[in-house]
Amino acid sequence: MSTQLYDEIGEAFEGFKTLPLAQYGEVPSFLAMVGDVRGKSVLDLASGTGFYSREFKRRGAAEVLGVDISGEMVAAAQALEDGDPLGVRYEVGDVAELRDVAKYFDIAVAVQLFNYAEDVATIERMCRNIHRSLADGAEFFVFMQSPEFRFDGPPLDKYGFRCESTGEVSDLGPRVRVTALLDPPISFVATPPHREVYEKSLQAAGFSESTWVPLTVSDPGVAAFGEEFWADLHDNPPLTMLRCRA
């Protein structure tokens, strides 16, 4: 399901990063959490059109490999690389069936990777594959929809997104319909896993030092819209982050 969905979105996915929640919340928060990548090798899982892959290479990463299940996403990322060569490599791949990499990476990142897993066993398999791909002591950084988001809270439309419950719940978590308010809007249904699914799966795979990191709004975001504009976001965060060590 996720393969077909993202094949249909393709290069339009780049537009997500222009919306206020992504531009002033997701992107600066995630980059700040990952920190200094100079001279390091980075494995970008669910790399999409390569937004973060390119950013890490610009920030001095020695090597970046982006992996995504969608061939159209990878094609869009490769087209951007061809137009402005940075030395990023991309390949089509399913993290649940991730191939053995030729070397161990210093850092792995995953933005909205786990939302389309069929079950807990798939997430556990993903986590084992990621751990296997990392050097000892390497860090893994995860960005995801918040497991604690309250659907009865104020709408997120002013931030560029709409997040609604479908009313369905699985062992993983609630089914959620997210709409990026682009022109035209893009909607997709996902299942953000419960907090304990992340924690238990990562621990079982061998990861340690798991720390949840809240999303923050950048100073430019506050300057552009004011503190009050972001109050609903702070009261009911739709997104959160997690860092752990291999």
Side-chain angles (χ1 to χ4, degrees), residues 8-76:
E8 292 170 357
I9 294 174
E11 62 187 16
F13 191 70
E14 284 285 295
F16 282 44
K17 298 298 188 280
T18 67
L19 299 171
L21 177 57
Q23 184 176 357
Y24 298 112
E26 173 200 325
V27 174
S29 293
F30 190 63
L31 291 175
M33 179 176 68
V34 175
D36 189 0
V37 298
R38 287 175 294 181
K40 297 180 179 180
S41 56
V42 180
L43 178 61
D44 184 5
L45 301 162
S47 54
T49 52
F51 178 88
Y52 285 110
S53 294
R54 296 193 304 277
E55 189 61 30
F56 292 134
K57 203 68 173 71
R58 291 190 190 104
R59 290 173 176 236
E63 177 186 359
V64 180
L65 173 62
V67 178
D68 199 278
I69 198 171
S70 165
E72 288 299 318
M73 286 286 192
V74 170

Side-chain angles (χ1 to χ4, degrees), residues 198-214:
Y198 281 112
E199 293 175 344
K200 290 179 180 179
S201 298
L202 288 164
Q203 183 178 24
F207 287 100
S208 62
E209 301 178 28
S210 293
T211 304
W212 291 89
V213 181

Side-chain angles (χ1 to χ4, degrees), residues 99-114:
R99 69 172 179 83
D100 285 336
V101 294
K103 61 168 289 182
Y104 296 119
F105 286 82
D106 302 315
I107 293 171
V109 300
V111 175
Q112 305 289 26
L113 167 64
F114 298 103

Side-chain angles (χ1 to χ4, degrees), residues 175-189:
R175 294 279 282 172
V176 178
R177 178 176 292 102
V178 177
T179 302
L181 300 176
L182 297 164
D183 185 18
I186 296 173
S187 291
F188 48 94
V189 176

